[in-house]
Amino acid sequence: MKELLLIMVASAIVNNVVLSQFLGLCPFLGVSKKVETAAGMGGAVIFVLTVSSFATSVIYNVILLPLGLEYLQTIVFILVIAALVQFVEMFLKKSMPALYNALGVYLPLITTNCAVLGIAIKNVTNNYGVLESIISGMGTAFGFTLAIVIMAGIREKIEYNDVPGPFKGSAIVLVTAGLMAIAFFGFSGII
């Protein structure tokens, strides 16, 4: 139990996928304009990352490893992730059309989100079992959600501030992301 808690905290805060590993920056920077949209994207990423961590771990340990087909892991993982994102997209389109429209092009981008594929490969590299992979994926997704919601809250506040001309737009967003990364770096001594 202690090891699972350490994996969860390390994945969510200490080794935050966006702020320390710099994976998944496209949706992080693109969807973080409003807190509601960021939270919706975070929810979609939580589902996709958790389920894909489970599915890729099972496929790797049950099919690829026993058959000696480890070299196919990247292709198989991408196919699994793409199928899960399609499922999420269909679900959101049917049940939450406002959120589906707000996420726009960034929802299909979860398929190519390197964070999802990176965590699947990291789980295999760390020799995590199915339970450890699920916890790692869930922790990473919560960390992504935490980072994107914080960024969205800051961006909503910055919108009403008097920002100097050279820092308007993407520049202030990147400076903010850098400062958030420095803040999260302070957690590195925990584990």
Side-chain angles (χ1 to χ4, degrees):
M1 187 66 181
K2 181 180 176 184
E3 182 182 326
L4 295 177
L5 184 61
L6 286 174
I7 291 172
M8 175 73 92
V9 171
S11 297
I13 297 173
V14 177
N15 299 320
N16 188 286
V17 71
V18 175
L19 300 173
S20 70
Q21 298 176 16
F22 306 112
L23 297 174
L25 288 175
C26 182
F28 175 71
L29 296 173
V31 182
S32 62
K33 293 178 183 169
K34 298 209 178 288
V35 173
E36 296 83 23
T37 308
M41 177 62 134
V45 169
I46 287 172
F47 176 79
V48 169
L49 240 168
T50 304
V51 174
S52 71
S53 293
F54 167 73
T56 55
S57 179
V58 168
I59 289 170
Y60 183 80
N61 290 319
V62 173
I63 299 171
L64 298 179
L65 198 59
L67 296 176
L69 300 173
E70 299 93 349
Y71 60 90
L72 292 176
Q73 74 182 13
T74 305
I75 295 169
V76 171
F77 292 174
I78 289 172
L79 291 173
V80 168
I81 292 164
L84 287 170
V85 170
Q86 284 293 6
F87 172 74
V88 169
E89 191 171 4
M90 289 186 306
F91 174 77
L92 288 179
K93 189 174 185 179
K94 185 83 170 169
S95 63
M96 296 180 228
L99 179 59
Y100 174 79
N101 291 330
L103 291 174
V105 70
Y106 294 102
L107 185 59
L109 280 178
I110 297 175
T111 303
T112 59
N113 187 345
C114 54
V116 180
L117 179 60
I119 296 310
I121 292 173
K122 181 185 118 181
N123 291 341
V124 168
T125 304
N126 290 341
N127 293 322
Y128 285 162
V130 175
L131 184 59
E132 290 94 353
S133 294
I134 293 170
I135 297 298
S136 173
M138 191 181 304
T140 300
F142 281 125
F144 177 86
T145 303
L146 177 68
I148 197 170
V149 168
I150 290 172
M151 176 60 99
I154 293 171
R155 285 181 75 175
E156 283 183 357
K157 297 294 182 186
I158 288 175
E159 188 176 321
Y160 301 109
N161 292 347
D162 185 27
V163 178
F167 286 102
K168 287 189 180 190
S170 299
I172 194 68
V173 174
L174 293 174
V175 168
T176 304
L179 292 173
M180 286 176 61
I182 292 169
F184 271 71
F185 182 69
F187 293 113
S188 63
I190 292 177
I191 296 178

